Amino acid sequence: MCISPWNFPLAIFTGQIAAALAAGNAVLAKPAEQTPLIAARAVELMREAGLPEAALQLLPGDGPTVGGPLTSDPRIAGVCFTGSTPVAQIIHKALAENAGPDAILIAETGGLNAMIVDSTALTEQAVRDILISSFQSAGQRCSALRMLYVQEEARERLLNMLDGAMDALTIGDPWNTDTDVSPVIDADAQAEISDYVAAKQKAGKVLKTLPAPEVGTFVTPAVVEVGGIEDLEREIFGPVLHVATFKARDIDKVVDAINDRGYGLTFGLHTRIDDRVQQIVERIHVGNIYVNRNQIGAIVGSQPFGGEGLSGTGPKAGGPLYVTRFRRTAKVEEHAAPEGERVALQSLQSALEGLDARNWAARRDRVEVLRKALSGKSGVIRKALAETAALDMTPQTLPGPTGESNRLAMYPKGPVLCLGPTLDIAVAQAVQALGAGSPVVLVAPGAVQAVKPLREAGARSPGWMG
Amino acid sequence: MTELTPDATASKQRARIRANYAAAEAKVLGELVERIKLSEDGRKKVAEAGANYVARVRKERSPSMMEAFLAEYGLSTSEGVGLMCLAEALLRVPDAETIDDLIHDKIEPSDWGAHLGKSSSSMVNASTWALMLTGKVLDDDPKGPTRALRGLVRRMGEPVVRTAVGQSMKILGRQFVLGQTIEEGMKNARELEKQGYTYSYDMLGEAARTDDDAVRYHNAYAKAITAIAKQAKGDVRGSPGISVKLSALHPRYEYTHRETVMAELLPRAKELVRQAAKANIGFNIDAEEQDRLDLSLDIIEALMADDSLEGWDGFGVVVQAYGRRAAPMIETLHALAERYNRKIMVRLVKGAYWDTEIKLSQEMGVETFPVFTRKVNTDVSYMACAQMLLDRRDRIYPQFATHNAHTCAAVVAMAGDDKDSYEFQRLHGMGESLHHIVKETDGTHCRIYAPVGAHRDLLAYLVRRLLENGANSSFVNQVVDESISPSEVSRDPIAGMQQLGEAVSSPLIRQPGELFAPDRKNSRGYRINEPASILPLLDARERFADTTWTAAHAGGQPGAQRACPGCLIAGRYLARGRAGV
């Protein structure tokens, strides 16, 4: 089941379908209710190209009527969804309740995307990239910049130039090639965004607006002053840019504040200091990081796109792992839950708190540690060891235009709860998580004994439970 | 509302320029070589004369600080790149904390000691020394005799380091910038003017982002013209002139905004041109990115059509030899000069935006590059364009901007005895020795292109110059490298190009469509700001302007949708798209 959004009515619609079909699945495609005709035309062309009707069916309509019943149907093997975070959560729940245990969900959702500009950045370049990132497509891209942080010493010059550069934007019909900012998708969106800007205006927080045409679902592009990302109530899916300043020495705190919001789609950074780029790239938790350029317009094959946390499940669209995610995994085995002591929630929490994710993730000898601890094991554990040893997490350089560098890096997901249910399976799960750099909490009968060799071999981070 | 429709009145010449936008490199070069009238023997003599220039440059003159700097650092060392980044950013950073971080970042990891004492210029050595000192200060694990020194500087503290590096950057800036103001620049120009050189002043700065910027640049140009006018000699060729970037005069100098550009930028340019014409000095329009070329021709034609400029021969245009459209561009300029009965100046350059052009084309996935993919191809194109300009001296006063000895020798040989019918040009701080020798030996004229402005605005200019001249293959680099013989430095590019055979287009530079080869073809893109690329697409779109799209499920009501339902423009709005389900 492929559910695509209206803001990329052709690209995302086609991308989802193509990946699912390439992996051999039959597809039910539900385009956004605002843009069914582009989808219909695309499907018409796919049919002309020879795609059998039995492989792809178009089911236009709204979410409650079409999406709801279908995502709750036990015959659905997986859902590929791009849209809002709350809807993704509803689909997740529906799949868990109705579909098989191996049903997949690939969700690509919203974000509160930030950009940091320090005082070494070239103002002209930063302003150009801010304009593109915030206002192109009227801000109706999930990657669009919402929260700009500018170093206080650079604020005045940057905001003055931004003000003047906004005045040079053309707002109008996208048919015209000189249009920079188009209308938003419909009257509902127009009302929501306009109300938001009006409320901010009332509060005296709007630094800049542009006059918009009166006829049509236009909203006025706006710059809103805030204290930081913590002041953003929600994602505003339109041409609204929030601005805050920071002190040079507080740059890490800004990154932490961005991380604290739990989203993680795109992030932009303008600086000439290479060390700073490296530090921030390591500290920030977002899917797509753009340095010294705009933060929209990811290119398939060069910049695989997708976020983490509340912004999506991965794998990244247009990346090397995307199509394989649409394949069926090994047959699900049923295991009866073994008898054991009940684990109190409190001890689970204290085990979680005791984890040291950062140090474990930084270790280069993870596979050696696991091998040493678990040598002589057989069955699922041995298989997990072999798979872990084969896992390649080295950053890849992807092809792209000359004069830029596109790197795809993999990071551990973070703490993993391994529930078995049998001890061997729980240990095998732990091996895979630990091998990828995630610390684990292991819950299974006999786990206390089982983790001892792991700890002795140096994997100090895993928590355990009896 | 601007509609881009195919320009029905586009002249035949314009059509030829557009046809060459994505023409095959080998085909364009084949046609260009045919235009060069030098005989086999003539070409041999040119190469010899060029080699002779090189030998004399090495023997008689010491390289300028700038040339020595490029030879020592260039772009192939991490120090060179670090230094370029530092020069680019340092002077605009307002806060000490970030300045320190930037200096640490760029200087600490570099091996400055390796460059110490290697350059023949004491200035380069002095700044190396300063950079190395600061590098040592910042280094956490220093060894040997620098320890005492480091302790000393460390005691003096970070403000001293900041000042030292800031000073080195200013020394560097001074090599590129003639003066911080036009008055200062003109004062500094006097020394070489006495030796018979003329100047063209360039105002440093980025393309305007805002209308305020554009107005500020406009005023700066007007003020500069007023100042330069005071030194006009009554003849544009012997007087200083000004070089203007149109992108500085409007925040949206783009083809998509053509109507706005013609309504707002053109009057500003016209005002400046009239002012220059009244003072009888040269007014030159600098060439910028290739996708501004077509639009620049609209402005150029509109400016040439201005009746009030009659009798003034100072209107100047730049042709970039690396562009595949260079030859039809020259023919067009000559035809315009005929049509409006003018004499114009045409500066021939190789082109300074090569990296940008390659990157942009690859990014967009367009059919091919608008520029040549090899330096030797551009050198051949330059010779052919020089020949074309020299053949059109009835209307055109050619200005040959080059720092290459072979190119100078070729121009001298092709131009014949009338030394007043053309001039050479060089950049301030570069090619000094070569042009001195050419001027003394061959009695030619030379104008110096000199940027004027604050050091902090140096960036774009500096980076372009370094990219253009910092590569190992560049003439500036080779002329000071004694290990390459003069005849090797001055080899004939035509022979070099013809030897390439099938590999005329560099296989090292991936065609935009081949970016993901061999896995797959890149998706095809169009340049919205390049009429040759976008007009056919817009034309094809036009027939759908009034199309109503419908779709229906079997038995359902058809839904309908127009191009942009959000616009709700009266008469264009039909129904909200909702396919009948």
Side-chain angles (χ1 to χ4, degrees):
Chain A
M1 172 99 208
C2 292
I3 304 175
S4 52
W6 50 261
N7 65 336
F8 284 92
L10 184 63
I12 294 181
F13 177 79
T14 315
Q16 291 179 345
I17 293 172
L21 288 171
N25 305 288
V27 175
L28 297 175
K30 190 201 94 62
E33 57 176 301
Q34 293 89 340
T35 54
L37 290 164
I38 295 175
R41 180 70 184 128
V43 169
E44 216 172 272
L45 292 169
M46 290 178 198
R47 296 245 190 282
E48 269 175 42
L51 193 73
E53 249 177 81
L56 173 66
Q57 287 289 322
L58 181 68
L59 294 168
D62 59 27
T65 319
V66 179
L70 283 173
T71 49
S72 315
D73 192 302
R75 288 170 295 178
I76 294 290
V79 176
C80 185
F81 169 79
T82 303
S84 71
T85 309
V87 174
Q89 281 158 348
I90 293 170
I91 296 173
H92 192 195
K93 218 168 145 234
L95 275 178
E97 281 166 8
N98 305 298
D102 59 342
I104 59 154
L105 171 64
I106 300 173
E108 198 56 72
T109 56
L112 292 176
N113 308 311
M115 177 191 275
I116 295 178
V117 178
D118 77 8
S119 66
T120 65
L122 179 65
T123 313
E124 283 84 354
Q125 194 188 352
V127 165
R128 182 197 63 199
D129 294 339
I130 291 164
L131 281 186
I132 294 172
S133 303
S134 305
F135 302 129
Q136 207 171 81
S137 311
Q140 302 172 109
R141 293 179 183 240
C142 36
S143 52
L145 169 62
R146 312 289 180 202
M147 181 67 236
L148 171 67
Y149 280 98
V150 55
Q151 191 183 322
E152 59 183 8
E153 287 86 353
R155 174 194 157 101
E156 196 186 334
R157 185 172 150 76
L158 186 132
L159 289 188
N160 280 343
M161 197 180 287
L162 182 64
D163 188 302
M166 283 175 73
D167 286 331
L169 293 175
T170 314
I171 305 177
D173 188 340
W175 180 270
N176 303 327
T177 46
D178 68 340
T179 291
D180 299 299
V181 186
S182 57
V184 294
I185 184 68
D186 57 21
D188 292 350
Q190 182 191 25
E192 197 204 324
I193 301 161
S194 300
D195 289 352
Y196 179 82
V197 173
K200 294 292 162 197
Q201 223 148 8
K202 223 170 151 189
K205 295 292 181 196
V206 173
L207 300 175
K208 170 81 179 171
T209 56
L210 289 179
E214 283 179 14
V215 181
T217 55
F218 291 94
V219 297
T220 191
V223 179
V224 178
E225 179 149 52
V226 292
I229 197 166
E230 59 280 1
D231 292 349
L232 269 57
E233 297 147 30
R234 59 184 195 278
E235 180 184 33
I236 298 297
F237 211 66
V240 181
L241 173 66
H242 301 85
V243 183
T245 48
F246 68 94
K247 289 188 194 308
R249 74 179 86 92
D250 291 339
I251 200 161
D252 282 348
K253 289 186 196 155
V254 172
V255 174
D256 293 343
I258 296 166
N259 286 341
D260 282 347
R261 288 307 301 262
Y263 288 94
L265 196 50
T266 71
F267 171 73
L269 175 62
H270 270 270
T271 180
R272 292 292 191 264
I273 301 174
D274 298 339
D275 278 350
R276 186 164 288 174
V277 173
Q278 211 175 332
Q279 278 164 21
I280 292 181
V281 164
E282 277 166 21
R283 196 178 187 99
I284 194 130
H285 295 297
V286 306
N288 286 60
I289 302 170
Y290 297 96
V291 181
N292 291 333
R293 52 155 284 171
N294 67 58
Q295 64 193 85
I296 60 166
I299 294 167
V300 169
S302 288
Q303 296 128 14
F305 185 76
E308 60 180 86
L310 294 171
S311 294
T313 59
K316 286 163 173 283
L321 305 175
Y322 192 59
V323 176
T324 49
R325 185 75 181 108
F326 287 84
R327 287 189 314 202
R328 182 157 42 179
T329 44
K331 206 171 163 243
V332 177
E333 295 165 30
E334 298 268 339
H335 292 277
E339 295 289 315
E341 273 178 64
R342 284 177 76 87
V343 175
L345 188 62
Q346 210 185 346
S347 36
L348 202 61
Q349 260 161 359
S350 71
L352 259 172
E353 276 154 21
L355 297 178
D356 179 3
R358 192 165 284 192
N359 275 328
W360 179 246
R363 286 188 68 153
R364 296 274 161 264
D365 61 344
R366 293 193 298 254
V367 175
E368 279 74 57
V369 169
L370 294 172
R371 273 211 185 110
K372 208 170 127 197
L374 301 166
S375 64
K377 295 275 181 193
S378 60
V380 282
I381 297 174
R382 193 175 166 170
K383 196 169 154 243
L385 266 174
E387 278 170 13
T388 303
L391 179 72
D392 184 7
M393 286 177 69
T394 339
Q396 274 177 275
T397 297
L398 299 178
T402 176
E404 65 178 44
S405 154
N406 292 294
R407 273 174 83 245
L408 177 65
M410 278 188 263
Y411 295 93
K413 267 195 177 292
V416 175
L417 184 59
C418 300
L419 292 174
T422 70
L423 182 62
D424 270 8
I425 294 175
V427 172
Q429 290 164 343
V431 164
Q432 290 193 316
L434 287 166
S438 296
V440 301
V441 174
L442 211 132
V443 181
V448 181
Q449 283 302 314
V451 295
K452 261 193 187 155
L454 276 170
R455 300 194 143 202
E456 276 158 18
R460 246 179 242 123
S461 61
W464 49 270
M465 278 292 136
Chain B
M1 253 181 9
T2 311
E3 296 267 339
L4 292 181
T5 48
D7 188 358
T9 59
S11 62
K12 256 189 210 163
Q13 264 111 8
R14 189 68 66 93
R16 270 166 56 197
I17 290 177
R18 288 181 182 171
N20 261 37
Y21 151 70
E25 189 165 10
K27 179 175 164 276
V28 178
L29 285 165
E31 288 163 8
L32 285 169
V33 170
E34 292 297 310
R35 294 179 184 269
I36 301 169
K37 293 175 181 167
L38 286 170
S39 64
E40 194 88 2
D41 189 45
R43 277 165 52 193
K44 230 168 104 187
K45 282 195 179 126
V46 164
E48 279 162 18
N52 195 27
Y53 287 149
V54 174
R56 287 184 57 194
V57 166
R58 286 178 179 174
K59 201 170 79 197
E60 295 169 24
R61 319 262 309 178
S62 56
S64 70
M65 152 90 180
M66 199 52 242
E67 289 161 328
F69 169 77
L70 285 173
E72 179 60 32
Y73 290 107
L75 290 177
S76 46
T77 67
S78 65
E79 291 81 15
V81 173
L83 205 53
M84 190 167 87
C85 295
L86 196 60
E88 189 261 316
L90 188 75
L91 299 176
R92 67 166 172 261
V93 181
D95 54 310
E97 198 173 341
T98 309
I99 290 178
D100 291 348
D101 283 353
L102 184 68
I103 293 173
H104 269 274
D105 192 62
K106 300 303 171 208
I107 296 191
E108 198 174 359
S110 299
D111 186 13
W112 297 102
H115 294 277
L116 187 59
K118 266 175 68 183
S119 177
S120 55
S121 158
S122 59
M123 286 295 272
V124 169
N125 280 336
S127 42
T128 301
W129 182 238
L131 289 164
M132 196 193 68
L133 278 185
T134 49
K136 291 293 177 200
V137 174
L138 301 168
D139 192 349
D140 285 328
D141 182 31
K143 300 173 200 84
T146 54
R147 189 171 296 187
L149 197 57
R150 192 197 68 245
L152 186 71
V153 185
R154 184 163 276 172
R155 274 202 300 281
M156 295 197 293
E158 290 191 319
V160 176
V161 177
R162 273 201 298 277
T163 312
V165 176
Q167 281 306 323
S168 331
M169 289 304 120
K170 281 183 186 152
I171 292 173
L172 203 63
R174 233 169 276 148
Q175 306 307 310
F176 284 111
V177 182
L178 185 62
Q180 303 242 30
T181 61
I182 182 73
E183 288 78 16
E184 196 193 331
M186 288 171 65
K187 204 174 120 211
N188 291 338
R190 270 180 220 152
E191 192 188 330
L192 285 179
E193 280 177 337
K194 274 187 216 141
Q195 296 176 33
Y197 288 90
T198 49
Y199 275 83
S200 183
Y201 297 97
D202 158 59
M203 314 305 284
L204 278 179
E206 295 283 304
R209 283 271 176 268
T210 69
D211 204 52
D212 283 354
D213 285 345
V215 169
R216 193 161 46 80
Y217 284 125
H218 183 251
N219 292 338
Y221 281 129
K223 194 171 152 263
I225 295 173
T226 307
I228 298 165
K230 291 187 193 131
Q231 297 204 353
K233 310 265 189 299
D235 153 41
V236 286
R237 296 178 184 186
S239 302
I242 190 148
S243 292
V244 171
K245 273 187 274 304
L246 293 179
S247 64
L249 294 180
H250 199 275
R252 304 305 299 267
Y253 173 47
E254 301 158 28
Y255 181 69
T256 48
H257 288 61
R258 187 176 176 280
E259 272 185 23
T260 320
V261 166
M262 297 312 272
E264 295 170 7
L265 191 156
L266 181 60
R268 283 178 190 163
K270 199 175 265 183
E271 206 181 293
L272 296 174
V273 171
R274 284 182 178 169
Q275 199 192 342
K278 213 169 143 203
N280 205 23
I281 59 165
F283 180 99
N284 175 80
I285 293 175
D286 278 348
E288 302 182 63
E289 294 86 351
Q290 286 280 313
D291 64 8
R292 306 207 206 245
L293 185 144
D294 205 282
L295 181 58
S296 77
L297 271 170
D298 292 338
I299 299 277
I300 288 162
E301 175 156 9
L303 290 173
M304 282 174 74
D306 184 352
D307 288 335
S308 68
L309 307 181
E310 222 172 276
W312 171 61
D313 299 340
F315 187 72
V317 180
V318 177
V319 172
Q320 296 165 319
Y322 69 12
R324 298 187 190 184
R325 294 173 284 188
M329 174 83 178
I330 291 170
E331 283 165 348
T332 301
L333 291 173
H334 185 261
L336 285 175
E338 289 263 309
R339 192 181 317 156
Y340 298 108
N341 193 25
R342 296 257 189 313
K343 289 201 79 171
I344 59 170
M345 302 173 142
V346 176
R347 176 193 301 157
L348 182 63
V349 300
K350 285 182 185 169
Y353 299 82
W354 189 81
D355 295 67
T356 312
E357 301 294 354
I358 298 293
K359 175 164 167 45
L360 195 65
S361 302
Q362 289 182 335
E363 234 170 59
M364 304 232 225
V366 293
E367 52 269 76
T368 185
F369 306 107
V371 294
F372 297 119
T373 57
R374 286 183 189 270
K375 197 184 166 300
V376 68
N377 297 352
T378 297
D379 288 344
V380 169
S381 172
Y382 195 100
M383 283 174 76
C385 292
Q387 181 81 64
M388 289 178 73
L389 290 171
L390 290 166
D391 290 348
R392 289 164 177 76
R393 279 179 279 187
D394 58 327
R395 291 284 174 193
I396 290 174
Y397 176 67
Q399 302 171 307
F400 299 104
T402 174
H403 302 123
N404 181 305
H406 181 276
T407 312
C408 287
V411 167
V412 169
M414 289 190 284
D417 295 333
D418 187 358
K419 310 287 184 190
D420 294 331
S421 63
Y422 69 98
E423 68 182 28
F424 281 111
Q425 294 195 350
R426 69 168 175 86
L427 294 170
H428 167 65
M430 307 238 316
E432 224 163 283
S433 330
L434 172 69
H435 279 285
H436 178 81
I437 290 165
V438 174
K439 188 168 168 292
E440 295 303 304
T441 316
D442 298 291
T444 50
H445 299 281
C446 182
R447 186 182 298 273
I448 299 165
Y449 181 94
V452 169
H455 289 143
R456 56 160 283 166
D457 290 331
L458 187 68
L459 148 79
Y461 181 81
L462 175 75
V463 171
R464 275 204 300 278
R465 295 286 88 85
L466 279 165
L467 289 174
E468 195 182 24
N469 295 304
N472 284 340
S473 60
S474 82
F475 177 80
V476 174
N477 239 295
Q478 293 189 347
V479 75
V480 289
D481 183 353
E482 301 269 354
S483 70
I484 307 172
S485 72
S487 58
E488 177 61 19
V489 177
S490 173
R491 66 204 173 278
D492 177 21
I494 299 173
M497 190 265 290
Q498 283 168 340
Q499 276 163 16
L500 292 169
E502 292 293 296
V504 165
S505 287
S506 171
L508 296 176
I509 297 164
R510 285 187 177 228
Q511 289 293 330
E514 306 294 312
L515 213 54
F516 301 99
D519 290 351
R520 64 180 169 91
K521 260 184 132 168
N522 193 8
S523 53
R524 171 80 160 79
Y526 295 85
R527 288 186 179 214
I528 197 164
N529 270 310
E530 179 57 72
S533 172
I534 197 71
L535 284 181
L537 188 74
L538 293 181
D539 197 21
R541 183 186 70 158
E542 203 56 43
R543 67 191 166 94
F544 296 106
D546 295 311
T547 305
T548 301
W549 297 91
T550 58
H553 217 274
Q557 291 295 309
Q561 190 176 319
R562 297 294 294 266
C564 175
C567 292
L568 299 171
I569 290 162
R572 287 195 57 187
Y573 175 67
L574 287 175
R576 281 292 305 283
R578 201 160 294 194
V581 203

